[in-house]
Amino acid sequence: MELTLKQREIIEYPFKNTILITGYAGTGKTYALLHKYLSLCQDYQVPPQNMIFIVKDEIKKDMTLLMYNLINPSRKFYQLNIVTIEELVKYYLEFSKLSLFQNRIDDIRKRSILKQIARMKNIQFSFELLYDEIKFIQENIVLNSEGEFLDILNKEYKQYYLTTRLTPKRQPLTYQEKELIWSVYKDYLIRSLNDDIFDESTLYQSFLRLLYQQNDNLTFKFPYIFVDDVEQFTRVQLDIINCFYDTNEMHGCYLAQDELKCKDRYKNYLNSAIFKHVSYTVHLDTNLRSNHNVYSIIKSFLNNNALLEARQPYESCKREGRLNSVLTYYMNRHNEEKSIIFFDRLDLLINNYGYELSDILVIFNDNDTLMEMKFACEQKGINVIDIAEHYKTLNPRGLTFIHKNDMSNYEFKVVFIYDVDNNKVCTGIVNKMTNINTNYADSVHFYLQLTSARDLIIINASQNEPSSLIHPTQINHDAFTFELGSKFPVKPLYLSSRVSDMANYIKDTLINLYGYNVKHFNNTKFYELLVSTNAHKIGIKVVEDSLNIDNIMDAVASQDDDIDYLVIFDAYHYLVYDLRSYTVNRITDIPNN
């Protein structure tokens, strides 16, 4: 892939600077980081051991493969020290021969201990509020201060006390509430240290305290640090990374950021010490990765979503010959309809467009639906894997299912968002006023889902209650087509239109976009439209109910019309069959005249 001018600007920027690279998904932030790393190796002979590349767990495999593909053509090998934050902590403790923080506990055990402490203190407000506040404290407040441990905790309490914190009802926490929360947190922290048990947040917080105690006497540091998706890290994690940044001689720190992927709407990570080094910011705004329609959808979502502010322009590159995106609704008259559409799309992608199961990510906003569809796939002999198996397996063979809460920076050729209904993703107008945090989180989840698509987005939503995230005011439907690879534009009003209106729309589209004219259309009792040319005859059937292919095929066989192609439409879906040579073959679109 050819580098843009802004990417070259990053690569050629002088040393002794911290560069912040911002941009939306697909604008080439990671690509610029890797080329910067390669430039340091090739052009400046910086030893690999002086550089470290820090990423989130989920994308480490992808980063390693991408780096290998980037440097392999040069027939040279440059070691890439790519680690997660957990591995960095582990390496430092092992290298320094420190037997600390070995006993880990999971979130369930942590919650159990916190509930015990809260009961003893007779806490009256909700446990979830208490848990969220303690999580905020552990992920954001660690002071680099000299003194005894309890004295430092008292200073940190003052910082927490001066921080405005809100309840779920958008009311500021009172002094008494903050004091109770801090007392529970303090007791939990002391118990964790005394019993030598560490959950994830306590581990990073305690490790940062250890680094602050050692000051400049760390066992090792790196003059060149790369951090991808910096918004995915907490403030404490970024402060840990900052401790390993060696600025004594030639140095450089390179951060890549997509603010819209930050699940913390207040973006507390921006207060990390590592951001104080930033001397230059580069905004990347040209999409280098995906289908033009995918990014038209993302752009309209950003421009129209009141919960996500688009702070910079977002341009995309048109690429000829790429498939268009698809917006799919189902009629929601019975439970089987949504799965009928799903399996039909799957058949189309695999058998007509050449995709493999491993190319497709299916996202569910409801866990029960995920389990039901997993069982349905297994009944049909379709292998289903989770996201961990997809990335841990060298050649994954299966359809990847994921719940919205497990979304991160994944990339798939096709993203199928299964259930975009208002009671499952985002909330209605009333709840938008009273529960803005949930709305923000779901908006970020939805953005992650959209930006994960490289070629196609398929959205399956209920006609009766589609999510407000895909209302016409939020999503530009002109960015979708009626069907995979077709020329039909999507019009939301067709959901309630009559059959005659649909037939007129199909007729106009065939005339305007497929090369037919009025003389090609004939009247018939069975078909809404019968298209006859010297080359072929097309029967077009519009159905109001969900598609029942077997019944329609039986009815077609009983007709006298000797058609070459059969096209069956419902509101947001159509199937095209080639009936020539006395066979029935599914094809992708209506033939042009």
Side-chain angles (χ1 to χ4, degrees):
M1 185 170 67
E2 191 172 333
L3 292 167
T4 66
L5 291 176
K6 288 187 176 181
Q7 287 173 324
R8 291 194 177 280
E9 184 180 338
I10 295 167
I11 295 166
E12 296 169 2
Y13 204 77
F15 293 130
K16 295 188 177 182
N17 287 287
T18 295
I19 301 177
L20 176 63
I21 308 167
T22 65
Y24 304 148
T27 55
K29 301 182 298 297
T30 301
Y31 201 67
L33 285 180
L34 290 174
H35 269 281
K36 182 70 176 180
Y37 169 87
L38 194 57
S39 174
L40 292 176
C41 287
Q42 291 180 331
D43 302 331
Y44 299 96
Q45 286 73 52
V46 176
Q49 61 268 26
N50 287 352
M51 298 184 283
I52 189 167
F53 215 115
I54 304 172
V55 298
K56 294 296 287 184
D57 301 24
E58 305 84 20
I59 65 171
K60 179 178 177 180
K61 176 184 173 184
D62 271 4
M63 288 290 292
T64 306
L65 288 174
L66 184 58
M67 189 60 188
Y68 174 79
N69 291 332
L70 184 64
I71 66 178
N72 192 46
S74 66
R75 301 183 181 276
K76 295 181 179 180
F77 177 75
Y78 297 103
Q79 179 186 358
L80 178 62
N81 291 325
I82 179 169
V83 300
T84 64
I85 186 72
E86 183 178 2
E87 288 172 339
L88 179 62
V89 172
K90 180 182 177 181
Y91 292 159
Y92 183 81
L93 293 174
E94 290 178 350
F95 193 84
S96 304
K97 298 181 180 179
L98 297 173
S99 300
L100 301 173
F101 317 127
Q102 299 299 314
N103 299 318
R104 308 290 175 83
I105 60 173
D106 58 20
D107 191 61
I108 296 175
R109 177 82 186 282
K110 178 180 182 178
R111 284 175 173 270
S112 176
I113 297 172
L114 286 173
K115 286 178 180 178
Q116 292 175 9
I117 299 173
R119 279 195 294 270
M120 289 188 294
K121 294 183 179 292
N122 195 27
I123 301 293
Q124 299 299 313
F125 46 83
S126 74
F127 175 76
E128 289 305 318
L129 173 62
L130 172 68
Y131 179 82
D132 289 344
E133 286 303 298
I134 290 176
K135 185 177 181 182
F136 167 80
I137 292 168
Q138 293 195 301
E139 291 183 347
N140 293 281
I141 300 178
V142 177
L143 291 181
N144 186 4
S145 177
E146 295 181 355
E148 297 295 326
F149 176 64
L150 293 179
D151 292 335
I152 296 174
L153 280 184
N154 288 333
K155 294 177 183 178
E156 290 176 351
Y157 170 59
K158 292 178 182 178
Q159 181 174 332
Y160 174 63
Y161 172 70
L162 295 173
T163 303
T164 302
R165 300 294 296 164
L166 302 179
T167 69
K169 295 182 178 180
R170 313 298 295 165
Q171 300 295 323
L173 284 174
T174 64
Y175 168 77
Q176 291 81 5
E177 289 170 332
K178 285 185 175 180
E179 188 175 39
L180 277 171
I181 290 167
W182 189 269
S183 69
V184 174
Y185 156 68
K186 183 177 177 181
D187 287 357
Y188 172 76
L189 179 61
I190 291 174
R191 178 172 173 177
S192 297
L193 296 173
N194 289 339
D195 294 349
D196 191 29
I197 53 174
F198 297 90
D199 64 274
E200 183 180 273
S201 298
T202 309
L203 167 68
Y204 292 130
Q205 189 185 46
S206 301
F207 183 69
L208 181 57
R209 294 189 200 282
L210 171 68
L211 297 183
Y212 283 157
Q213 288 176 3
Q214 297 189 0
N215 293 321
D216 293 328
N217 298 319
L218 269 64
T219 309
F220 56 76
K221 285 189 174 186
F222 301 92
Y224 300 96
I225 289 180
F226 299 78
V227 186
D228 198 22
D229 289 317
V230 68
E231 76 285 341
Q232 300 290 314
F233 295 87
T234 67
R235 178 178 176 178
V236 163
Q237 289 173 335
L238 291 175
D239 284 343
I240 289 173
I241 294 171
N242 183 66
C243 289
F244 287 99
Y245 185 23
D246 185 358
T247 59
N248 288 329
E249 297 179 5
M250 297 294 288
H251 59 268
C253 183
Y254 312 101
L255 314 174
Q257 173 194 35
D258 180 353
E259 279 192 316
L260 291 170
K261 287 183 179 177
C262 179
K263 296 177 182 178
D264 173 12
R265 72 188 318 268
Y266 302 104
K267 300 179 175 62
N268 289 298
Y269 72 94
L270 292 170
N271 297 318
S272 166
I274 203 164
F275 276 87
K276 296 177 182 177
H277 298 290
V278 173
S279 55
Y280 186 62
T281 300
V282 179
H283 299 285
L284 301 181
D285 56 12
T286 300
N287 163 38
L288 302 171
R289 184 183 74 189
S290 297
N291 179 279
H292 173 66
N293 282 37
V294 171
Y295 279 88
S296 295
I297 294 164
I298 296 169
K299 184 176 181 179
S300 65
F301 175 64
L302 297 178
N303 290 340
N304 295 310
N305 191 330
L307 297 174
L308 292 176
E309 179 185 356
R311 299 186 178 181
Q312 55 185 319
Y314 190 69
E315 303 300 332
S316 60
C317 298
K318 287 190 178 182
R319 294 188 182 182
E320 299 299 329
R322 301 295 292 273
L323 295 173
N324 287 322
S325 306
V326 179
L327 178 59
T328 300
Y329 283 93
Y330 82 112
M331 305 309 270
N332 202 23
R333 293 192 177 107
H334 58 76
N335 292 332
E336 294 180 0
E337 287 183 333
K338 188 173 278 188
S339 63
I340 289 172
I341 296 295
F342 170 76
F343 286 115
D344 177 75
R345 283 306 195 286
L346 200 58
D347 175 71
L348 188 67
L349 291 167
I350 301 298
N351 295 323
N352 292 77
Y353 284 96
Y355 286 102
E356 298 180 357
L357 288 174
S358 58
D359 296 327
I360 304 171
L361 174 68
V362 187
I363 304 167
F364 294 87
N365 296 294
D366 177 71
N367 198 59
D368 290 339
T369 308
L370 186 154
M371 298 307 296
E372 291 171 6
M373 287 305 298
K374 182 177 181 181
F375 178 76
C377 287
E378 290 170 350
Q379 290 291 97
K380 292 180 179 290
I382 300 172
N383 188 34
V384 174
I385 60 177
D386 60 21
I387 196 70
E389 185 177 350
H390 176 88
Y391 278 102
K392 289 178 181 178
T393 307
L394 185 61
N395 294 306
R397 298 188 180 277
L399 198 60
T400 306
F401 277 16
I402 191 171
H403 186 266
K404 69 176 180 183
N405 293 338
D406 298 323
M407 280 300 299
S408 188
N409 304 312
Y410 309 120
E411 180 183 318
F412 284 75
K413 291 180 181 179
V414 180
V415 170
F416 198 123
I417 310 176
Y418 190 83
D419 47 359
V420 190
D421 298 337
N422 207 31
N423 60 339
K424 295 177 181 177
V425 55
C426 208
T427 53
I429 296 174
V430 175
N431 285 340
K432 189 173 287 188
M433 303 294 292
T434 60
N435 194 12
I436 195 167
N437 284 325
T438 299
N439 278 270
Y440 178 79
D442 273 351
S443 292
V444 172
H445 287 314
F446 193 62
Y447 170 75
L448 285 170
Q449 293 167 22
L450 295 178
T451 56
S452 295
R454 199 177 81 187
D455 292 352
L456 298 170
I457 297 170
I458 304 177
I459 298 178
N460 215 2
S462 165
Q463 176 197 359
N464 292 349
E465 196 183 14
S467 167
S468 58
L469 291 176
I470 59 169
H471 283 169
T473 55
Q474 298 295 342
I475 291 290
N476 176 14
H477 286 71
D478 291 336
F480 293 96
T481 54
F482 196 101
E483 181 54 89
L484 281 169
S486 80
K487 303 180 183 71
F488 282 80
V490 164
K491 300 294 181 185
L493 296 178
Y494 295 149
L495 280 171
S496 58
S497 65
R498 296 170 297 180
V499 171
S500 59
D501 294 334
M502 177 69 83
N504 288 331
Y505 162 70
I506 297 169
K507 182 178 179 180
D508 290 342
T509 304
L510 291 176
I511 291 172
N512 294 328
L513 301 176
Y514 285 79
Y516 295 96
N517 58 53
V518 175
K519 70 178 183 181
H520 292 137
F521 294 90
N522 301 315
N523 295 325
T524 175
K525 291 183 179 179
F526 179 74
Y527 299 107
E528 274 64 45
L529 293 169
L530 187 63
V531 185
S532 300
T533 70
N534 293 331
H536 51 246
K537 185 185 291 186
I538 306 171
I540 298 174
K541 184 69 181 169
V542 179
V543 297
E544 294 185 271
D545 297 323
S546 60
L547 295 174
N548 189 322
I549 303 303
D550 293 336
N551 290 346
I552 294 173
M553 285 297 184
D554 290 341
V556 169
S558 66
Q559 302 302 310
D560 293 332
D561 301 296
D562 184 19
I563 61 174
D564 299 304
Y565 298 94
L566 171 66
V567 186
I568 309 169
F569 278 83
D570 68 4
Y572 272 101
H573 178 255
Y574 68 80
L575 309 178
V576 184
Y577 293 95
D578 185 346
L579 306 183
R580 297 173 298 175
S581 304
Y582 303 100
T583 58
V584 178
N585 297 314
R586 172 81 180 272
I587 59 176
T588 56
D589 198 21
I590 299 172
N592 294 318
N593 181 31

